Amino acid sequence: MKPEEIETHILAQNNKPIVDFLGLLANQMHYLLYEPFGKDSPVQFRAEPDDATLDKIPLFRILEEYLKIIRRDKYIKLTPLGALPKKVMVELYDKRFLLDNHIESGLTKLWKEDDCISIRSMRLTAELAGLVKKTHGKLTLTKKSEKLLDTNDRSQLFRLFFQAFTDKYNWGYNDGYPDQPVGQLGWAFSVLMLHRFGDEPGTSDFYATRYQKAFPQFVRYFDGGFSTLEEKFRRCYSLRVFERFLLWFGFVEADRHKPFFKSETDTFTRTGLLNGIFEIGGT
């Protein structure tokens, strides 16, 4: 095959819709996976989400209050185990931006950082985003976050935080599933699926099944036992993507059929925040 024929063949393959990727082209899927914030990705940040939109993003609101506490108190002294002190945890949780089912039901009391996974995740992500630094057991603001707070640049603050949460923070840190990037790799693909299907209530299993078709290699990292590999895979995806990503950022509303997360029966509907944050093409 001549060089120009090879080039033509590659171009044709890259521009061929792939059924398991919801009809996306190979090039589009590449950008979704490896350059989700690049100019060629089908999922793009809106240039300047307005304050009304940012006000409705639970995990981001917790971040803002957390930064305000550090600025007010000059620093936060971590516990001997390197966690946020109870006083700070209670102050953040009492804002009630993001409620924890176990705490609300009384099964767990808010004594330590591990009792509220969302706040712990926010705290670690803020450090990965370069907004907070840890020195000798104390947390202080970085010059970057000081400037963003001074200029009230909430849009950039959100972007830095969101990028760190999706690209740097390990979603698997929050659960006992295999240490593989299930759900986190291709998070933008899940956003795109939600954009396409989320106007109607659907279970997280509905999305997990389509994610599995796009990334079948992940299933082999799960072991058997009382459930099939596929069932464990879908539960992992549902927990990481819906419970601890889409809900935390307010991109979905949940209709609970039981007090606690049940991927088989809980249904989710897309909120207006998704289109308030992203411009989505390729669909």
Side-chain angles (χ1 to χ4, degrees), residues 79-138:
T79 69
L81 294 177
L84 289 177
K86 179 184 176 182
K87 177 183 177 182
V88 175
M89 294 292 297
V90 170
E91 183 174 351
L92 288 173
Y93 189 82
D94 282 350
K95 299 293 181 181
R96 301 187 74 77
F97 292 130
L98 195 58
L99 302 181
D100 183 279
N101 288 333
H102 288 85
I103 294 174
E104 294 300 302
S105 68
L107 288 176
T108 302
K109 291 188 178 295
L110 188 58
W111 294 107
K112 58 187 183 303
E113 189 180 77
D114 284 349
D115 293 330
C116 188
I117 292 174
S118 58
I119 293 179
R120 182 185 68 189
S121 300
M122 175 282 302
R123 193 264 292 183
L124 296 172
T125 302
E127 293 171 40
L128 292 170
L131 300 171
V132 174
K133 60 183 178 181
K134 179 168 60 177
T135 309
H136 304 304
K138 292 182 179 180

Side-chain angles (χ1 to χ4, degrees), residues 30-39 41 43 45 59 121 124-130 158-173 179-189 191 240 244-245 249 278:
H30 171 85
Y31 289 120
L32 275 182
L33 292 179
Y34 304 113
E35 298 181 46
F37 303 107
K39 62 181 179 63
S41 172
V43 175
F45 277 127
L59 199 65
S121 300
L124 296 172
T125 302
E127 293 171 40
L128 292 170
F158 171 77
R159 185 174 296 213
L160 288 171
F161 180 71
F162 186 86
Q163 288 178 329
F165 185 84
T166 52
D167 276 2
K168 298 179 181 179
Y169 182 67
N170 180 5
W171 293 7
Y173 179 67
D179 189 21
Q180 297 292 327
V182 175
Q184 189 163 11
L185 178 68
W187 65 264
F189 182 64
V191 165
R240 291 180 182 179
R244 296 175 179 173
F245 170 49
F249 282 89
F278 299 111

Side-chain angles (χ1 to χ4, degrees), residues 210-259:
R210 283 157 178 77
Y211 182 88
Q212 181 183 339
K213 287 182 179 179
F215 306 97
Q217 70 276 15
F218 278 137
V219 176
R220 63 188 175 92
Y221 293 108
F222 293 79
D223 56 23
F226 295 105
S227 303
T228 66
L229 305 185
E230 290 77 12
E231 286 171 338
K232 287 189 175 182
F233 168 85
R234 288 196 294 270
R235 285 200 293 269
C236 174
Y237 171 88
S238 300
L239 179 65
R240 291 180 182 179
V241 175
F242 277 81
E243 286 296 302
R244 296 175 179 173
F245 170 49
L246 297 176
L247 275 170
W248 283 4
F249 282 89
F251 296 147
V252 294
E253 291 179 342
D255 184 5
R256 306 285 190 189
H257 297 271
K258 292 186 177 181

Side-chain angles (χ1 to χ4, degrees), residues 63-77:
L63 168 75
E64 290 187 306
E65 293 302 319
Y66 172 62
L67 298 180
K68 289 177 184 177
I69 290 172
I70 298 177
R71 179 176 243 192
R72 179 195 70 200
D73 297 344
K74 310 301 182 187
Y75 64 87
I76 292 176
K77 183 175 176 56

